[in-house]
């Protein structure tokens, strides 16, 4: 082999090798970060841990009823829960709220402060775990920001992210949501009301009767 050719070949290898090593190290450094951000939480929600967190933050009544909600759903499901303050339980005609009312406070997807401000306008429907009975966004534009409160069914969200593990998100609200608010003011969102209207009957009477039968 020509000695000059061999020398040139060796120099090319020496020049290329550091670039190869550097690129390989960069690829290895980025990969764990990408994987970390692509995976959802794999562990089911620990109801005991969530109850303890709610109790520590002053939501004692809801911490005692949390199991009733979580037992009624898939343990791997994504859920946003709106948690009434203790005084709501004392002032309510349901000091031990039925499961139907608790399901009305649970949304089967992630709904945090940013998504509510960006994606849910005034009058938007928010489906709940109680079929046919959604919540209604009643906050004005910008209401979820630093100088205002977001609200659903005219009930203010008082504390965001009491608990958030990526699968279960819990927000504090000042009172129970009243299902009659949606039924009376936004009947177009009510599945029962739509069925009654299409059949030619009185939707208001039927919707009200059907709701009270749940309790």
């Amino acid at each position: 082999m020509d000695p000059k050719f061999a020398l040139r070949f060796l120099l090319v290898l020496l020049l290329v090798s550091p670039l190869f090593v550097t690129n390989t190290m960069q690829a290895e450094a980025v990969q764990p970060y990408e994987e970390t951000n692509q995976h959802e939480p794999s562990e089911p929600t620990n109801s005991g841990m969530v109850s303890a967190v709610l109790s520590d933050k002053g939501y004692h009544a809801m911490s005692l009823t949390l199991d009733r909600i979580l037992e009624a759903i898939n343990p791997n499901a994504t859920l946003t829960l709106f948690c009434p303050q203790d005084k709501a339980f004392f002032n309510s005609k349901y000091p031990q709220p039925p499961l139907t009312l608790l399901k009305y406070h649970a949304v089967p997807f992630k709904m945090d402060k940013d998504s509510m401000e960006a994606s849910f306008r005034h009058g938007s429907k928010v489906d709940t775990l109680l079929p046919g009975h959604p919540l209604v966004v009643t906050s004005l534009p910008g209401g979820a920001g630093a100088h205002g409160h977001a609200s659903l069914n005219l009930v203010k969200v008082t504390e965001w992210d009491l608990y958030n593990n990526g699968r279960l998100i819990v927000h504090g609200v000042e009172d129970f949501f009243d299902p009659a608010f949606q039924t009376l003011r936004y009947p177009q969102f009510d599945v029962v009301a739509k069925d009654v209207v299409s059949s030619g009957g009185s939707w208001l009477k039927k919707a009200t009767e059907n709701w009270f039968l749940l309790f």
Side-chain angles (χ1 to χ4, degrees):
M1 178 182 294
D2 185 355
K4 292 182 180 182
F5 177 82
L7 180 59
R8 290 176 182 173
F9 182 77
L10 181 60
L11 288 174
V12 170
L13 286 180
L14 290 174
L15 290 173
V16 173
S17 296
L19 295 175
F20 176 79
V21 172
T22 300
N23 290 337
T24 303
M25 292 176 64
Q26 289 177 346
E28 291 175 351
V30 171
Q31 187 65 22
Y33 175 81
E34 293 176 346
E35 290 183 352
T36 300
N37 286 271
Q38 287 175 356
H39 290 293
E40 291 289 331
S42 58
E43 293 297 325
T45 298
N46 185 326
S47 61
M49 179 183 297
V50 183
S51 294
V53 171
L54 294 182
S55 181
D56 288 343
K57 295 190 176 183
Y59 293 79
H60 305 287
M62 196 64 175
S63 71
L64 298 175
T65 60
L66 181 67
D67 283 345
R68 298 181 61 195
I69 301 176
L70 298 183
E71 288 174 357
I73 64 171
N74 184 329
N76 294 315
T78 298
L79 189 72
T80 300
L81 178 64
F82 293 93
C83 177
Q85 300 173 351
D86 280 358
K87 64 180 182 180
F89 286 78
F90 301 144
N91 297 333
S92 173
K93 60 181 177 180
Y94 302 111
Q96 295 183 336
L99 182 58
T100 48
L101 184 59
L102 295 177
K103 285 184 174 181
Y104 192 57
H105 291 70
V107 175
F109 51 84
K110 295 178 183 178
M111 188 174 181
D112 56 17
K113 180 178 179 179
D114 292 337
S115 66
M116 186 168 179
E117 180 71 14
S119 305
F120 293 90
R121 299 179 179 178
H122 179 84
S124 295
K125 181 179 76 168
V126 181
D127 289 324
T128 70
L129 291 186
L130 188 61
H133 293 280
L135 297 168
V136 180
V137 175
T138 49
S139 50
L140 298 175
H147 302 291
H149 288 282
S151 67
L152 297 153
N153 288 29
L154 293 181
V155 176
K156 290 181 180 179
V157 179
T158 54
E159 294 184 74
W160 297 98
D161 290 342
L162 294 172
Y163 180 88
N164 187 346
N165 69 348
R167 190 183 301 282
L168 173 65
I169 303 173
V170 184
H171 306 309
V173 292
E174 64 180 354
D175 205 345
F176 282 104
F177 296 134
D178 185 357
F181 174 87
Q182 175 268 310
T183 301
L184 296 175
R185 298 197 184 189
Y186 293 83
Q188 66 271 26
F189 292 160
D190 196 315
V191 173
V192 176
K194 286 182 179 180
D195 292 343
V196 174
V197 169
S198 65
S199 64
S202 172
W203 67 263
L204 179 59
K205 179 179 178 182
K206 290 292 185 181
T208 305
E209 288 177 353
N210 287 341
W211 173 253
F212 284 111
L213 284 174
L214 292 173
F215 298 104

